[in-house]
């Protein structure tokens, strides 16, 4: 990648408690861009994600003020703190992972994140992503797209970000194949590589294995082996 003179970046919207594939993208690029200056989507991964409980998977959702704000960007989305969501989320995580092998390693750090005040969704998302990536052991540099102030929308915005950062390669999710305009990337000499991530299995509590949960599930159950397990799903 960068050591060979090729700059490979990944560009992802900042989501709440992301799944492990998100961190695989982050680990296997030279620079990771938080795409924070695009539209917030209600009932999306922007403000919710799943954990595993004694009764199966459970969705944790950060309440966001959205009435009359249909075009608000992720970076501008305000949390509805009249609802006791922080305490509920932390207690739910704590109670359902208390018997996990590595719960004691991380629960106090997680409590510290949830004990702080957050007005914007972006801030809690950043705090949790930082915690998870640090504990997993990912050191990839991160920046926000809003700092770059690149214009455009859709594929053009992504191309503009790549050009601003002198990126030769965009590493993106498999789902982006149906969205990106590859001709536009080719015209700008940017190669697109799609993530081919095979979800690994690992130790889990509470019955049969469930995939695509928040990366917290992996961290609490596998601890320092988490990065190794994430990388086992990498196919490039």
């Amino acid at each position: 990648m960068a050591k060979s003179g090729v700059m490979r970046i990944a560009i992802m919207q900042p989501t709440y408690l992301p799944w492990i594939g998100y961190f695989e993208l982050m680990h296997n690029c030279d620079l990771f861009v938080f795409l924070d200056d695009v539209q917030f989507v209600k009932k999306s991964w922007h403000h919710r994600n799943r954990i595993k409980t004694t009764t199966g998977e459970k969705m944790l959702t950060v309440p966001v003020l959205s009435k009359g704000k249909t075009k608000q960007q992720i970076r501008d989305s305000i949390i509805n703190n009249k609802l006791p969501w922080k305490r509920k989320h932390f207690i739910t995580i704590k109670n359902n992972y208390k018997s996990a092998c590595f719960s004691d390693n991380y629960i106090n750090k997680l409590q510290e994140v949830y004990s702080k005040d957050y007005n914007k969704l972006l801030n809690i998302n950043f705090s949790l992503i930082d915690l998870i990536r640090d504990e997993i052991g990912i050191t990839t540099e991160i920046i926000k797209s809003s700092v770059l102030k690149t214009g455009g929308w859709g594929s053009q915005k992504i191309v503009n970000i790549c050009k601003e950062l002198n990126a030769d390669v965009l590493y993106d999710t498999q789902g982006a194949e149906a969205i990106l305009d590859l001709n536009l990337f080719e015209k700008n000499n940017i190669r697109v590589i799609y993530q081919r991530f095979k979800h690994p299995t690992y130790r889990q509590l509470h019955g049969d294995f469930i995939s695509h949960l928040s990366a917290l599930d992996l961290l609490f159950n596998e601890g320092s082996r988490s990065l190794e397990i994430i990388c086992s799903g990498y196919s490039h």
Side-chain angles (χ1 to χ4, degrees):
M1 288 186 275
K3 291 181 180 179
S4 63
V6 176
M7 170 63 79
R8 171 165 156 162
I9 71 171
I11 304 172
M12 292 293 294
Q13 297 166 13
T15 60
Y16 184 65
L17 293 172
W19 75 299
I20 63 176
Y22 190 98
F23 291 98
E24 188 276 319
L25 278 169
M26 184 182 292
H27 178 63
N28 283 305
C29 65
D30 300 302
L31 179 65
F32 188 86
V33 182
F34 281 126
L35 190 63
D36 64 327
D37 55 346
V38 293
Q39 186 171 336
F40 166 77
V41 179
K42 189 176 181 181
K43 295 183 179 179
S44 73
W45 303 120
H46 292 167
H47 68 128
R48 65 180 188 170
N49 223 307
R50 304 177 305 145
I51 63 166
K52 194 174 184 185
T53 73
T54 56
T55 56
E57 63 184 66
K58 181 177 178 60
M59 188 75 77
L60 300 179
T61 302
V62 180
V64 173
L65 297 172
S66 57
K67 187 175 181 179
K69 302 176 182 289
T70 56
K71 294 183 179 181
Q72 68 177 329
Q73 295 186 341
I74 298 172
R75 61 176 175 166
D76 299 321
S77 299
I78 304 300
I79 299 172
N80 181 4
N81 280 310
K82 291 182 179 180
L83 301 176
W85 65 275
K86 285 192 303 177
R87 183 177 185 279
K88 286 184 177 180
H89 287 201
F90 175 70
I91 293 300
T92 301
I93 294 168
K94 180 179 179 180
N95 288 345
N96 285 285
Y97 288 100
K98 61 186 177 183
S99 59
C101 293
F102 298 92
S103 177
D104 290 344
N105 294 43
Y106 310 116
I107 197 62
N108 290 338
K109 295 176 182 179
L110 187 65
Q111 184 175 25
E112 184 178 347
V113 171
Y114 278 110
S115 68
K116 296 178 181 178
D117 294 327
Y118 300 96
N119 182 45
K120 291 187 175 182
L121 174 66
L122 196 63
N123 294 334
I124 180 64
N125 285 359
F126 281 165
S127 293
L128 288 167
I129 290 170
D130 280 346
L131 172 64
I132 295 170
R133 80 182 188 103
D134 286 348
E135 296 303 327
I136 288 175
I138 295 174
T139 58
T140 304
E141 182 183 353
I142 293 176
I143 65 169
K144 295 186 289 186
S145 60
S146 57
V147 174
L148 302 174
K149 303 187 185 302
T150 50
W153 61 277
S155 292
Q156 185 62 62
K157 183 173 182 64
I158 303 302
V159 166
N160 290 346
I161 292 172
C162 289
K163 291 173 68 176
E164 177 73 17
L165 297 171
N166 297 314
D168 305 285
V169 176
L170 173 68
Y171 184 37
D172 211 337
T173 63
Q174 191 169 353
E177 283 188 81
I179 300 172
L180 294 181
D181 180 356
L182 284 184
N183 290 330
L184 188 58
F185 285 86
E186 289 175 3
K187 288 178 182 178
N188 287 276
N189 298 311
I190 300 167
R191 182 185 176 196
V192 179
I193 296 177
Y194 295 111
Q195 182 186 44
R196 306 297 182 191
F197 186 71
K198 183 178 180 182
H199 200 296
T201 56
Y202 52 84
R203 285 182 295 183
Q204 260 187 4
L205 301 172
H206 318 311
D208 294 340
F209 184 82
I210 298 176
S211 68
H212 295 78
L213 300 173
S214 166
L216 279 181
D217 186 80
L218 172 64
L219 195 60
F220 275 104
N221 284 297
E222 293 286 4
S224 61
R225 291 190 63 239
S226 294
L227 184 56
E228 175 188 344
I229 291 169
I230 289 173
C231 288
S232 72
Y234 177 69
S235 60
H236 283 291

